[in-house]
Amino acid sequence: LRRSPGEVCFPGGKSEATDKDDIDTALREAKEEVGLQPEKVEVICRLMPGIDKMNNLVTPVVGFIEDTFQITPNPDEVSEVFVVPLEYFVKPLNYKTFFYKTSSGYLTRIHCFTYDDQEHKKSFKIWGLTAHFAVFLALVIFGERPTFEVDYDLDNLISSSENNFINLYASIYERKKSNL
């Protein structure tokens, strides 16, 4: 909660020297933040990385867990936990989009979902990189067009996501180079 307080995000964080790779980092962070034991996760893949607002490279790791998993949030890192059906990120009830120009001048679409959680009787705003990763995963899993516009060629989802990432990364690299 020290960084980005009040924002919705997936478990995760910075790699440590003891982490072998991105998967190790993701499993360690999930254990620290929500009590998910690494041996209870069937890791499926890593998705195309993204770049956060501080220009850090973020690599999402996708895995399956049992629906019987009992979440134990670490109060030093997590204020509350909720679950959203993945399909919500292709067929949302409450959605808006806006465009954002990064500090490097790259224009990108920001997805913003408001999810009404009946269990907690509360609404949660899911946007930015968290929404970006959720939308991409939903597109991969469901293979159908969302009810809103996306910055991908849906007939070539993987290659268009690679191109989007390369363009974003290149714009950041060019800005860093011009500031030297």
Side-chain angles (χ1 to χ4, degrees):
L1 296 176
R2 289 182 313 277
R3 267 189 62 207
S4 304
E7 292 189 12
V8 171
C9 63
F10 293 112
K14 293 184 98 165
S15 64
E16 294 182 357
T18 56
D19 297 337
K20 294 181 293 199
D21 55 22
D22 297 330
I23 293 171
D24 218 30
T25 300
L27 294 174
R28 178 185 49 75
E29 287 285 344
K31 181 180 178 183
E32 290 174 10
E33 293 179 10
V34 296
L36 179 59
Q37 298 301 316
E39 63 274 8
K40 299 287 186 181
V41 180
E42 181 185 351
V43 174
I44 303 303
C45 67
R46 290 176 244 196
L47 295 180
M48 182 60 53
I51 299 174
D52 71 9
K53 59 189 169 196
M54 302 302 291
N55 289 337
N56 295 306
L57 187 67
V58 180
T59 303
V61 175
V62 179
F64 290 124
I65 60 173
E66 294 291 327
D67 59 1
T68 56
F69 166 62
Q70 295 295 309
I71 298 167
T72 311
N74 176 345
D76 293 333
E77 298 197 38
V78 178
S79 60
E80 54 191 319
V81 177
F82 63 101
V83 176
V84 181
L86 187 58
E87 189 175 32
Y88 193 79
F89 297 102
V90 288
K91 296 178 183 175
L93 298 176
N94 192 340
Y95 170 84
K96 62 184 172 184
T97 189
F98 57 94
F99 288 91
Y100 173 76
K101 188 177 274 192
T102 66
S103 59
S104 61
Y106 185 79
L107 187 65
T108 185
R109 182 186 312 264
I110 303 291
H111 302 287
C112 184
F113 300 86
T114 301
Y115 180 71
D116 295 320
D117 184 353
Q118 300 305 314
E119 181 182 337
H120 293 91
K121 304 285 189 260
K122 187 172 180 182
S123 292
F124 294 95
K125 184 184 275 188
I126 306 162
W127 65 285
L129 201 54
T130 302
H132 169 81
F133 290 144
V135 167
F136 186 75
L137 182 60
L139 292 172
V140 169
I141 297 294
F142 295 114
E144 62 185 61
R145 296 196 178 280
T147 59
F148 52 88
E149 293 295 316
V150 293
D151 293 330
Y152 300 113
D153 173 354
L154 296 174
D155 295 323
N156 298 296
L157 187 57
I158 303 301
S159 63
S160 69
S161 73
E162 290 171 346
N163 288 336
N164 286 353
F165 173 74
I166 289 167
N167 290 336
L168 175 59
Y169 187 82
S171 74
I172 292 168
Y173 177 78
E174 284 302 316
R175 180 164 188 263
K176 283 182 181 179
K177 198 168 77 173
S178 68
N179 287 338
L180 295 177

